[in-house]
Structures are given as structure tokens and as C-alpha cells.
Amino acid sequence: MEKTVMNSEEKTGNSAQPDSSRDRILQNVCRQLSGVEVPPLPEEESRRLPQPADVNLLAAEFQSKAEGVSVVFFDDVHSATKGLQRVAVSNGADLPIAIDNVELFEGWGDREGLLACDAGLTTAQIGIAESGTMALIGDVEKHRLVSLVPPIHVALLKRENIVGTMSEALSMLHQDGLPSSLITFITGPSRTADIELQLVLGVHGPRELRVVLI
Amino acid sequence: MGIHGLNSNQFAEMAKAALADEVQKGAIGKATDLIRDRRGEAVEQLDDWDDLRERARAIKAHTLAKLDHYLMHFVSNAEKRGVVVHWAEDADQACKIIADLIDEVCGDPNAPADSDDLLARPIVKAKSMVTEEIGLNHLLEGRGLRPVETDLGEWIQQLAGEPPSHIIVPAIHKTQQQIAELFAEQVGSDASASAEELTAIARRILRKEFADAAVGISGVNFAIAETGSFLVLENEGNIRLTTSLPQTHIAVMGIEKLLPRLSDLDVFLRLLPRSGTGQQLTTYQSIITGLTSKVHGELNGGGEGPAAVHVVMVDHGRSDILSDDLRRSSLQCIRCGACLNVCPVYKLIGGHAYGSVYPGPIGAVLTPQIAGVEEARPLPFASSLCGACKDVCPVKIDLPDLLLDLRKEAQEKGGSKIEKLGFGGWAWMMNGPWRYGLSIKLSRMIYPLGKRLSPFKKWGEGRELPIPAKKSFREQWKKRS
Ligand code: SF4
């Protein structure tokens, strides 16, 4: 963890209680494990798709997998937001500052606004072709509420940011030091099957997920 | 040590009642068959399924054998990122820690007058088996707080005043009609509402609860030692709301949930959704590493996410089962529910008959180990030892072997003479594949008899469940290959 620089207040030692329970638990864990043979930890593994990492192939695979879980693709952000009135946006660098006939507002700090808008607009930092998944990184962009609270989530994803596998995505998320404070993987719209296993979309999160590949 | 609401010694009566409930049997049979088939399809898409299982097993086995090391590593990294870590030796302590944290946020329950307002505020909860285990809702309600389950299935169960009956699909035993009637009674909706309408009602009501809540409580699927992160996965989005909207997030985890490295998530994310629901991946996975608001240098008002993240590490009997290799392996469980869906006993009697928040094969293994064999004497015997659970388990837990081991303990720690005699022989018979094979053939012959013969009659009453398969999975498999 030597890679990180931290404020003094973020250092260790904010344990909330006297350490007796911690010590008793750890002591018992040690005691019970004494004499137990430790089997080896399997080597770290980097998994790739068999086919070469061609941008167009990966994008096509991403799209077909995402469509399989009810994601709808649009050619550009204008068609993806057509007919919408109020759209919350995150602070993503690649997001448009204006869209014709649509009122955009900063969504992340405005909960009332979020509850009343038609859609949330964010970018996604990574796409994962094998499952049609997007990774949204909290420290890059405040996606947490904008991608979750409104009934429609519109996400922009750069084709060049699509990788083959979850394994590749995880190593990217970890490569420059510690992972972001929040990473959200999204594969399709919110869903439930808790009533007789019938699929219903949009139970708590967005009912629709619209993606624009750029 | 108690599991909340534990009633497993009444297994025989409860199983008998469950067997008589045709509606429930129909609902569970249909649903478990469907998930089992979906799982099968999802598994077939991969040609390295068994390698994945072996890898996952090996990672878990290593981690558990060095658990003290990984616990320390996880905790110190999480604390560096601003997480406050708490340790609970048992259920009572875990509940007390959480309740005290809530009091801190919501005000002192003994303070009169204006704090009432805060106390009426909901505590939103995302599905977490360990909070069921420790009986958290019960304790919070006793303190005048209002915990609200937000996973649709859990909410249905909360409205019904029942514990979940399946670890992945909490209301699996209910039909849509029953749920519609329950909603009609509890929230005044139409008694003939469709699944879509019922879901919309839940969304509307729970949205309000999310908006009002000051504290959100979630479980943890995986905790990563090298980064101090934890991952929660779901389909609905209620975990994201629970961990994002309230100003305080409390994550509750058993101490066995650790993985060494972030990259280890890959194999577990390939195994868990496929095993649990037959999905390639669930809709959402959130990896939380400390506080968002700290990174943005601002607090909740202008930032995102809770101002405080707490992790409560729950032991509750887990550390006591670390010494024995076989027993320790039961802590590899990732709570996918696959063993429930293929279990011929679970299929017939459902989850509640086990009298434990952990039902099915894994419940029959975990419950006596956490609560003590005396408290759940019938559970290790509530199995036909057909081995279907072992065959599907994504982390290769040898559930039949564990059940036999627990049977032996149950038998050593008392039990009637005839049980001792019978199960002694049983244990011998199961100990070795050829003997096991013989026993299955024997059971096919004895089964019709056993039900009628008087010394077995009582024994058979609660257990007339698993009709031995004409051909065991093993035999069929052998034939195929
Ligand atoms: S014992 Fe295995 S199959 Fe059963 S819930 Fe745990 S991980 Fe899944």
C-alpha cells in the first residue's frame, strides 16, 4: 500500500472500539489454525478472449452481449435523449454541455432534481465485451446517483475503451495504485425475478439502459 | 451461540406440515427446476467449468488456512481508506454494535421529545444472510427502530412476517397470487395485480424509504485483503441505493468472506451468478473501497455516497470451526443457493422446515456448526446423501461428507439407542464410494419397506421425502461417459 499518499486523518487507527474483541477473535483464529497446513494460493491469472483484440470485433461482441440483457443502442446522444425533457448529467469530461430541446442539469448533488428527471447521462470508463458490461469509476466521474436514480440511464462509451474480459478490466482498475473508492459494473437495466421468477425490469434502478458507442 | 429464530429440532413436524402444503410444493418445485435448468445452460457455455471450480476452491482453501493474515491485511487497508472496522464475537455483540451506530446517527433513543422524528426514520437494508443469522431486525425493532428490507423478495417476506425461505430467492415458496393478496392486505393494492404491477408498487413505496433513510445496512459478498475493498452484487439496484443514499453505510460480513487479491474476483464472478441464477453476470457489482466523499474532498452535501462507512466483522462461531480441514471447508461457501435448487429434500419441504435461516444442504451443514449440534440435531440427517449438492457446488464443498461428519457428532453427543445403531452403520456405509454406491442400491430396496415397517414408521414420517432416484447421477454419468 506504499503507493498511496494519504492525509493524516485517513491513516489507520480509526477503529471504533477497544480492541479486545478484535484480539480475541484473531487469537482464536490463530489458535485454531495452528498446525494447519496452508495450501498454495493459485498464481494470479490474466484471462483474455481467444480472438485478437480488434476494436471493432470487441465493440460488436460488447453490443451483442449487451443487447442480450435488454440494453438498447443509439447512434448518438441526440437520438438517445430524443423526447426527454430533463436529464441529469454527471461530471464526465466527454459529456455534451447542451442537447437540443433537452434541459440538462448537474445531477450528483441534487437529489430532488434527480427524483424528478427523465434520465441520467454519464460516461462509462471501460466496456467488457464478453458480458456487455460497463465499468463506471467513481473517482473519475460522479456516476453514483445519476446512473441509478432516474428511470433511464444513458451511457456513452468509447469503443477504444472496450476490453475483452472482466479479468482485463480488473487489472486496469488496479494498475495505477489502489482502486477507486467506488467502481460500479453495470450489465443491463435493473431487474428482478423475485415473484415466481418472472423477469421485471426497473425494480429499483433504471428500467432502461441506453448506450451510445463513440 | 444462537442463530436467530432457530427451531431446527422441530424439523420432523415442520417437514411434515410442509409436505402437506401442495401450493408451496408446487411453487418451490417449479422455481427450483427452472433455476436448475438455467444454471445448467449457463455452465455449458463455459468449457472450463471444472477448472474454475477448482481454482475457486483452491483460493478459498488457501485464504481460510491463513485467515488471520488476510483479516489483518483487509482491515488495515480498509481503515486506511477511511472505513471504520468493528469486531463482533457473537450475534448479540454484532447487533449491539450496529444498534449503537444507528443511535449515534439517529439520536439517543432515551432522549425525549424531538428525537422521535429521527427514530421513525427507516433503516434501509439490502439482503444479507448474516444479518438474518444474528437477528438484527428483531433487535432493531425492539429498540423502536424501523428496519426496512429493500430487496423485493426480502420485502415480501418482511410484509408476510416470515424469514426468507431461500438464500437467493427469499419468497420462492410463494405464488404470484399469494403475493398479490399479501400486498392487497398490507399496502392496499389490487389483489389480482401482476408481477409487473407488484414490482412497481414496491419501487414506489421503497423509493420513499430510501429518500428518508439515514442509515443503510448491507452484506458483503467478497472482501479483498490487498486493497481493503469489498464487493456487493445484485440485480435490482437496491444495494446500490442502500449504500449510496443514506449518510451512513454499515456493511456486515462474516469473517470468512475474504479473498487475497482484486484479480481473484474474476473467477468468483464467473462462478457465482451462473450458479445462483444462471446469469452470466448479475446486473450490478459495486466495489467499495472506503469513502467516496473523502476522495472528492467534500462531505455528503455536495459529494456522493455516505459520509461514513462501517464494516462489522462477525465471527459468531466461525473461528471455532477452522481447525478441522473438512469443517473449515464449509466456510468456502459463497451463498449461491445452487445446492438448495438441486436438493430433493429442499425441493419438497422448502426452506422454513429446516428451522434455520440457512436451509438446504449448506444450511444443514452450517446450522449445527454455528449453533451447536444439540440445537439442530435433525438437520444433518435431512438429506438423502445423493450428492447432487456436491456436484453443483461452485467451490467444491463436500457437503455429503460434512453431513456424515455432523451425523457422527450428533450421534456421539446423545440421541436414542436406535439412532446410534442405525447411524453408526450408516456412517460406515457412507465412508467410501463403493459402500456409498451399495447404500443407494440398498435404499432403493428398503425404501418402500421402511415406510411400512413399524420401527421405521415414525422415523420415516418426516423423512418419506427423497425417493431414491432410479439411477443416481453418478451412475447415469458413468453410463454416459
Ligand atoms: S454450499 Fe456451495 S452450492 Fe451451496 S450455497 Fe454454498 S457455494 Fe453454493
Side-chain angles (χ1 to χ4, degrees):
Chain A
M1 304 305 107
E2 45 297 326
K3 287 179 199 158
T4 17
V5 185
M6 252 162 303
N7 302 329
S8 58
E9 52 168 340
E10 283 175 331
K11 282 206 187 106
T12 57
N14 41 356
S15 189
Q17 63 193 122
D19 286 345
S20 54
S21 289
R22 186 190 78 164
D23 292 347
R24 271 196 294 275
I25 291 171
L26 287 171
Q27 272 162 18
N28 194 39
V29 170
C30 282
R31 191 164 49 236
Q32 300 287 343
L33 287 174
S34 71
V36 163
E37 204 186 308
V38 180
L41 176 64
E43 292 277 306
E44 224 160 334
E45 201 180 59
S46 152
R47 191 171 55 80
R48 291 174 173 277
L49 291 182
Q51 61 269 41
D54 174 90
V55 175
N56 290 325
L57 278 181
L58 286 174
E61 177 70 4
F62 174 87
Q63 179 159 354
S64 103
K65 280 287 155 54
E67 281 171 346
V69 287
S70 313
V71 174
V72 183
F73 283 79
F74 289 83
D75 291 337
D76 54 48
V77 73
H78 297 278
S79 53
T81 52
K82 201 167 170 220
L84 300 177
Q85 265 145 36
R86 256 171 76 75
V87 173
V89 285
S90 64
N91 60 343
D94 296 318
L95 293 173
I97 32 175
I99 301 174
D100 291 346
N101 303 322
V102 179
E103 181 195 339
L104 299 181
F105 70 102
E106 286 185 347
W108 64 88
D110 179 0
R111 289 192 184 181
E112 297 302 313
L114 269 178
L115 285 170
C117 68
D118 304 326
L121 176 61
T122 72
T123 47
Q125 281 68 45
I126 302 175
I128 303 174
E130 66 174 351
S131 52
T133 302
M134 294 183 294
L136 280 63
I137 304 176
D139 293 352
V140 175
E141 180 175 329
K142 295 184 183 184
H143 70 272
R144 193 169 197 150
L145 301 176
V146 175
S147 67
L148 174 63
V149 174
I152 298 172
H153 175 203
V154 183
L156 309 188
L157 172 65
K158 285 190 180 151
R159 283 191 176 80
E160 69 210 47
N161 290 343
I162 299 177
V163 298
T165 66
M166 173 61 83
S167 171
E168 290 167 78
L170 287 170
S171 72
M172 286 171 73
L173 291 165
H174 198 194
Q175 66 195 2
D176 334 301
L178 290 175
S180 160
S181 55
L182 175 69
I183 298 160
T184 310
F185 292 104
I186 300 178
T187 311
S190 155
R191 62 186 59 218
T192 185
D194 273 345
I195 300 174
E196 284 194 22
L197 295 186
Q198 300 174 64
L199 175 67
V200 180
L201 299 181
V203 52
H204 285 293
R207 184 183 68 236
E208 270 184 54
L209 177 54
R210 303 179 179 179
V211 173
V212 180
L213 295 178
I214 52 176
Chain B
M1 254 167 282
I3 289 181
H4 180 70
L6 189 70
N7 195 19
S8 297
N9 282 336
Q10 259 64 63
F11 176 78
E13 296 88 79
M14 293 187 294
K16 200 171 163 194
L19 278 171
D21 185 340
E22 293 299 331
V23 178
Q24 170 172 299
K25 260 198 307 201
I28 297 172
K30 198 174 119 197
T32 51
D33 281 352
L34 195 58
I35 311 176
R36 187 200 56 201
D37 293 348
R38 285 181 187 164
R39 175 198 166 276
E41 284 162 29
V43 165
E44 255 167 45
Q45 286 168 2
L46 298 176
D47 45 24
D48 55 350
W49 183 251
D50 280 328
D51 298 342
L52 289 180
R53 291 170 73 213
E54 177 50 30
R55 184 176 172 82
R57 186 206 61 76
I59 293 171
K60 280 281 187 182
H62 167 86
T63 313
L64 289 169
K66 271 182 81 164
L67 190 60
D68 46 339
H69 167 80
Y70 287 116
L71 280 169
M72 287 305 293
H73 211 170
F74 168 73
V75 165
S76 87
N77 286 329
E79 286 178 343
K80 280 181 198 151
R81 298 291 293 254
V83 172
V84 185
V85 178
H86 309 259
W87 297 79
E89 292 169 70
D90 56 28
D92 289 347
Q93 194 182 4
C95 287
K96 185 171 180 313
I97 289 168
I98 298 164
D100 288 349
L101 284 171
I102 294 170
D103 284 350
E104 253 173 58
V105 180
C106 297
D108 177 2
N110 300 320
D114 43 37
S115 63
D116 277 9
D117 228 28
L118 282 169
L119 286 176
R121 286 173 78 177
I123 315 292
V124 284
K125 277 194 70 207
K127 191 160 92 67
S128 143
M129 289 311 298
V130 69
T131 63
E132 299 284 344
E133 175 189 326
I134 63 177
L136 182 61
N137 287 1
H138 183 76
L139 179 111
L140 296 183
E141 279 160 9
R143 285 207 183 189
L145 297 166
R146 196 161 65 81
V148 178
E149 295 291 347
T150 59
D151 172 88
L152 178 59
E154 286 277 332
W155 191 60
I156 292 168
Q157 288 308 99
Q158 193 178 31
L159 286 181
E162 296 171 8
S165 77
H166 187 286
I167 60 182
I168 299 289
V169 193
I172 196 169
H173 60 295
K174 288 194 190 303
T175 61
Q176 179 196 322
Q177 182 57 39
Q178 288 173 326
I179 297 169
E181 282 162 15
L182 174 71
F183 275 38
E185 197 184 294
Q186 297 286 328
V187 300
S189 56
D190 185 351
S192 60
S194 66
E196 194 127 349
E197 287 162 342
L198 293 167
T199 304
I201 293 164
R203 177 182 171 112
R204 182 167 43 76
I205 294 177
L206 291 171
R207 266 298 163 105
K208 170 106 182 54
E209 305 283 25
F210 279 120
D212 291 346
V215 178
I217 299 176
S218 78
V220 165
N221 291 100
F222 303 101
I224 310 299
E226 72 173 345
T227 60
S229 316
F230 57 88
L231 179 140
V232 277
L233 93 188
E234 59 170 329
N235 279 312
E236 296 188 357
N238 66 307
I239 303 186
R240 292 182 64 196
L241 289 165
T242 300
T243 58
S244 295
L245 287 174
Q247 69 190 81
T248 297
H249 170 204
I250 306 172
V252 190
M253 61 178 266
I255 57 170
E256 80 280 20
K257 293 281 174 189
L258 288 163
L259 295 176
R261 305 163 297 208
L262 196 74
S263 62
D264 293 325
L265 286 172
D266 183 46
V267 66
F268 287 94
L269 290 178
R270 301 186 88 200
L271 288 167
L272 177 52
R274 286 183 169 87
S275 299
T277 54
Q279 289 171 284
Q280 183 177 353
L281 204 55
T282 57
T283 304
Y284 304 120
Q285 295 81 35
S286 307
I287 300 178
I288 295 171
T289 315
L291 297 179
T292 315
S293 36
K294 276 247 172 106
V295 173
H296 288 295
E298 52 200 4
L299 282 181
N300 206 29
E304 284 203 302
V309 177
H310 298 265
V311 171
V312 182
M313 316 278 298
V314 181
D315 183 346
H316 197 211
R318 287 161 173 79
S319 59
D320 288 335
I321 55 178
L322 285 168
S323 61
D324 179 74
D325 288 347
L326 178 64
R327 297 276 176 111
R328 187 174 61 251
S329 71
S330 47
L331 297 177
Q332 288 165 204
C333 174
I334 55 173
R335 308 281 190 270
C336 73
C339 57
L340 278 58
N341 300 327
V342 298
C343 177
V345 180
Y346 178 88
K347 267 177 177 319
L348 284 177
I349 63 173
H352 290 153
Y354 288 80
S356 164
V357 297
Y358 298 114
I362 187 59
V365 159
L366 285 179
T367 307
Q369 292 190 83
I370 295 175
V373 165
E374 303 78 8
E375 300 300 318
R377 187 178 287 285
L379 291 197
F381 300 96
S383 162
S384 63
L385 299 174
C386 69
C389 49
K390 179 183 169 181
D391 291 332
V392 296
C393 178
V395 288
K396 295 176 83 171
I397 300 173
D398 194 333
L399 293 154
D401 232 19
L402 277 155
L403 289 168
L404 283 173
D405 194 50
L406 288 159
R407 283 181 185 186
K408 223 171 102 213
E409 189 186 335
Q411 172 208 348
E412 279 161 11
K413 289 192 175 159
S416 72
K417 269 224 172 94
I418 192 147
E419 259 187 357
K420 275 187 185 169
L421 216 74
F423 295 130
W426 184 285
W428 173 83
M429 187 133 56
M430 295 299 156
N431 199 4
W434 66 270
R435 284 181 239 156
Y436 176 73
L438 174 72
S439 77
I440 289 187
K441 291 198 183 96
L442 265 175
S443 74
R444 263 178 231 135
M445 295 189 295
I446 293 175
Y447 176 77
L449 252 145
K451 276 207 311 190
R452 264 169 259 140
L453 289 181
S454 65
F456 292 98
K457 198 161 173 272
K458 181 115 204 340
W459 184 81
E461 268 174 7
R463 296 168 213 251
E464 60 186 81
L465 337 154
I467 301 174
K470 290 236 169 57
K471 285 226 173 291
S472 77
F473 179 79
R474 250 164 235 287
E475 285 168 323
Q476 289 179 34
W477 187 253
K478 244 193 180 154
K479 232 179 171 174
R480 262 182 57 175
S481 44

